[in-house]
Amino acid sequence: MDIFRTKSVEQSIRDTESPDHQLRKRLTAVDLTVFGIGVIVGTGIFVLTGQVAKEVAGPAVAISFVVAGVVCGLAALCYAEFASTIPVAGSAYTFAFATLGEFTAWVIGWDLLLELALAAAVVAVGWSGYVASLLASLGLALPEYIAGDDPVVNVPAMLIVLVLTVVLVAGIKVSSRVNLVLVIVKVTVVLLVILAGLFFVKAANYTPFIPEAQATERVEGVQAPLIQLIFGTTPVAFGVIGVFSAAAIVFFAFIGFDIVATAAEETIEPQRDVPRGILASLGICTVLYVAVSLVVVGMQHYSELSTAAPLSDAFIAVGQPWLATIISLGAVAGLTTVVLVLLLGQTRVLFAMCRDGLLPRGLATVSPAFGTPARLTILIGAVTMALAGFVPFGELAELVNIGTLFAFVVVSAGVIVLRRTRPDLPRAFRVPLVPVLPILSVLACLYLMLNLPAETWLRFVIWMIVGVVLYFAYGYWHSRAATPWQKRG
């Protein structure tokens, strides 16, 4: 069985010209940068900052953001080279198919589906929490059973997914315009947090900057980082180990720049604009994250930070509730764009897999009226609504992280492979110092993966096993890369 058959770069590009499966080219470098900022600036700033500072890293959460940003930067260089060489929907899935073969592509595609579906649902739940908090501050409290800490059905989360699904069906340019407006709102709020928060920073709150390592319930047993279990060290939070454990968690905050690559097929000048969009959005967001985290832990001692709404609650703690209301509005706008772009990325990955026949090809039909994969978008919207309505935030963010890091490993390795197998391909952007930087990217991503809890690894392995079974039951036999005798239909 030739499970490592590859799909040539030329064939991948020809597939984008099929009338029934052709996406419209509408995006520019500015659109892509805004998409990147739209999905990156969200959960990390508005939710994870307080949670990770309080439970894992202390004030040194700023260093954790830098570590995660550097790891993402290495992977971003690899994504930029691939996206400029193979400007086709699918991102890491498409890149893997061209370099490491169909089975690897399937695994990474299956992995991305998990990452993006859970991420969109998790962020929608976070959005619901901020909306409920905002409405309560205005005297319009929602019932606990539809929007509380443990609702029976999270109705606001389901509604936002429904609205954004309609926006995505309407067209990529409509989506980019909605995203632009909301990004302007939330970046303005983030800058307000930084500038206003500086007036309430107390130097004493930064001491100790890296709290002394200590055992906590959160990191005992299967909840301990895998690397601690492998080497038999005592599970701890805080300290230097806590800083790197926190980096593996706040990594969730950077998920998004890779989604820019999924829109390459819909970009007017992908060879030039996709690398610009990836690197610009990542750079801008890293600076914002570090600045906000330093301000928040300076305003309020890390042990007193809120884990649900750390930014707004920090301003309430210093007697500025009016700023808390503005921050809640910014959080609502911010998390809206995150859900929007995650849904966009998921539809494009699944679109590429269906177009290749690894999943039912009929789902990849593009709507003549809207120029979008409407069927897939509606299907994904429905599944995400169900997840958002019934799945709690919990540790799902960590499961998203391991999926993303795995994709980064594959893409980074793929750059080295494609340089050796197809040195003749025109590359508008080239990763410097190959193979050194891609190897560093692989090692850095693997290290962060090892810092995730063991139970996250168990869930990830189970999902991968399900995917492998599905590939051999359907994908292998229906793939367009298969020879006629291998196909069943």
Side-chain angles (χ1 to χ4, degrees):
M1 298 180 71
D2 183 15
I3 63 173
F4 293 106
R5 54 201 177 201
T6 59
K7 179 180 179 181
S8 70
V9 173
E10 291 79 8
Q11 182 59 52
S12 295
I13 294 174
R14 281 197 297 271
D15 284 347
T16 67
E17 300 169 357
S18 172
D20 292 335
H21 305 91
Q22 187 175 28
L23 299 172
R24 294 177 184 174
K25 296 182 181 294
R26 298 287 182 85
L27 303 178
T28 64
V30 173
D31 293 323
L32 295 175
T33 300
V34 174
F35 267 131
I37 296 173
V39 71
I40 299 173
V41 176
T43 306
I45 280 186
F46 295 112
V47 179
L48 288 181
T49 305
Q51 175 186 331
V52 174
K54 183 174 184 177
E55 299 177 351
V56 187
V61 66
I63 299 177
S64 302
F65 275 116
V66 172
V67 171
V70 169
V71 173
C72 285
L74 293 172
L77 293 172
C78 298
Y79 268 89
E81 175 166 328
F82 261 124
S84 67
T85 308
I86 315 173
V88 177
S91 185
Y93 160 78
T94 301
F95 306 156
F97 211 153
T99 55
L100 303 175
E102 181 179 278
F103 180 70
T104 306
W106 166 268
V107 169
I108 203 66
W110 186 249
D111 164 70
L112 288 173
L113 293 181
L114 171 72
E115 169 203 333
L116 299 174
L118 290 182
V122 165
V123 178
V125 171
W127 181 92
S128 173
Y130 265 100
V131 167
S133 175
L134 181 61
L135 291 176
S137 68
L138 299 174
L140 301 171
L142 296 175
E144 286 288 321
Y145 60 87
I146 66 168
D149 291 333
D150 188 21
V152 177
V153 181
N154 199 320
V155 175
M158 297 181 73
L159 287 177
I160 188 59
V161 173
L162 174 62
V163 171
L164 295 179
T165 298
V166 173
V167 171
L168 287 170
V169 168
I172 190 67
K173 200 63 182 179
V174 173
S175 303
S176 69
R177 287 170 181 165
V178 171
N179 186 62
L180 175 61
V181 172
L182 294 174
V183 165
I184 290 173
V185 172
K186 73 176 177 182
V187 170
T188 301
V189 170
V190 169
L191 293 175
L192 175 63
V193 168
I194 296 170
L195 296 175
L198 287 174
F199 293 97
F200 303 99
V201 168
K202 296 179 180 178
N205 289 332
Y206 292 119
T207 305
F209 193 71
I210 302 180
E212 185 177 348
Q214 57 184 270
T216 67
E217 291 183 2
R218 186 185 183 284
V219 290
E220 290 180 350
V222 293
Q223 292 183 332
L226 183 62
I227 194 169
Q228 295 180 9
L229 296 179
I230 291 174
F231 292 102
T233 57
T234 302
V236 296
F238 304 111
V240 175
I241 292 177
V243 172
F244 285 98
S245 296
I249 299 171
V250 300
F251 188 85
F252 179 87
F254 288 95
I255 292 173
F257 76 82
D258 55 323
I259 295 177
V260 173
T262 68
E265 191 173 326
E266 295 160 274
T267 304
I268 299 171
E269 296 288 346
Q271 290 81 2
R272 180 195 66 188
D273 291 344
V274 175
R276 291 180 179 180
I278 291 174
L279 298 174
S281 59
L282 180 61
I284 292 169
C285 293
T286 301
V287 172
L288 291 176
Y289 276 158
V290 173
V292 168
S293 61
L294 286 173
V295 167
V296 171
V297 296
M299 291 176 62
Q300 192 174 18
H301 193 269
Y302 73 89
S303 62
E304 300 173 355
L305 286 171
S306 162
T307 57
L311 300 192
S312 56
D313 288 351
F315 278 97
I316 291 175
V318 296
Q320 302 295 324
W322 66 276
L323 277 170
T325 301
I326 293 176
I327 290 169
S328 293
L329 286 170
V332 169
L335 297 181
T336 301
T337 64
V338 176
V339 178
L340 174 69
V341 185
L342 286 171
L343 289 172
L344 170 71
Q346 190 180 6
T347 57
R348 277 23 178 199
V349 171
L350 192 55
F351 173 80
M353 296 176 74
C354 291
R355 186 166 61 184
D356 289 336
L358 298 180
L359 289 170
R361 186 168 162 79
L363 292 174
T365 303
V366 172
S367 166
F370 303 111
T372 59
R375 293 179 187 175
L376 275 181
T377 304
I378 294 170
L379 173 63
I380 288 171
V383 172
T384 306
M385 282 180 63
L387 289 172
F390 299 98
V391 177
F393 188 88
E395 51 280 318
L396 291 182
E398 294 172 348
L399 189 56
V400 174
N401 288 356
I402 195 170
T404 305
L405 286 164
F406 180 64
F408 288 1
V409 168
V410 173
V411 171
S412 300
V415 166
I416 301 173
V417 173
L418 196 62
R419 283 283 188 98
R420 292 182 178 275
T421 57
R422 293 297 306 274
D424 57 304
L425 284 175
R427 292 168 169 84
F429 179 88
R430 299 175 69 90
V431 178
L433 301 177
V434 172
V436 176
L437 283 187
I439 290 174
L440 286 176
S441 177
V442 169
L443 294 176
C445 291
L446 288 174
Y447 179 73
L448 286 188
M449 289 174 73
L450 291 174
N451 274 281
L452 289 168
E455 63 180 350
T456 299
W457 279 84
L458 290 174
R459 294 189 183 109
F460 180 67
V461 169
I462 292 171
W463 175 259
M464 286 293 108
I465 291 173
V466 172
V468 169
V469 171
L470 182 59
Y471 170 74
F472 285 110
Y474 183 91
Y476 175 81
W477 303 101
H478 293 81
S479 170
R480 295 180 64 219
T483 55
W485 67 269
Q486 289 174 317
K487 295 185 179 182
R488 289 181 175 175

